[in-house]
Amino acid sequence: MDWVDVVGWAGAGLVLVAYALLSAGRVDGRGAAYQLMNVFGAIGMLINGYVRGALPSAALNLIWMGIGIYVLARGRAGLVRERIGAAGTRES
């Protein structure tokens, strides 16, 4: 087993743990922990798929990673808006 396999298996493990925690109600599907596990898991499987020539798998994981990054960015933007709104309310 070389580094590409280790990275791929680690990525797959992260995605599976994320799904198990979500299914068990231990994490929120829109929460940072779940999304970060999916993003880093997808990166591992993307590297493995690309290096091994499994391009459909690599493409799927690129999209999976993109969705996670989008949700994280959207959540961060919402947090900033909430903080700005809260700061404006205190000053009034």
Side-chain angles (χ1 to χ4, degrees):
M1 182 180 301
D2 63 3
W3 72 271
V4 175
D5 291 328
V6 171
V7 168
W9 280 110
L14 266 176
V15 171
L16 286 172
V17 167
Y19 181 65
L21 290 171
L22 178 68
S23 296
R26 302 291 301 268
V27 294
D28 177 12
R30 289 178 286 178
Y34 178 74
Q35 295 302 327
L36 285 169
M37 284 189 281
N38 274 291
V39 167
F40 285 106
I43 289 170
M45 292 189 294
L46 170 64
I47 291 168
N48 181 275
Y50 181 77
V51 171
R52 298 291 185 226
L55 297 183
S57 175
L60 170 70
N61 283 292
L62 181 63
I63 294 165
W64 194 276
M65 181 184 71
I67 292 168
I69 291 169
Y70 171 77
V71 172
L72 285 166
R74 205 173 98 198
R76 179 116 172 108
L79 252 170
V80 169
R81 281 192 300 272
E82 285 177 20
R83 288 184 181 164
I84 290 171
T89 304
R90 279 183 277 170
E91 292 175 10
S92 300

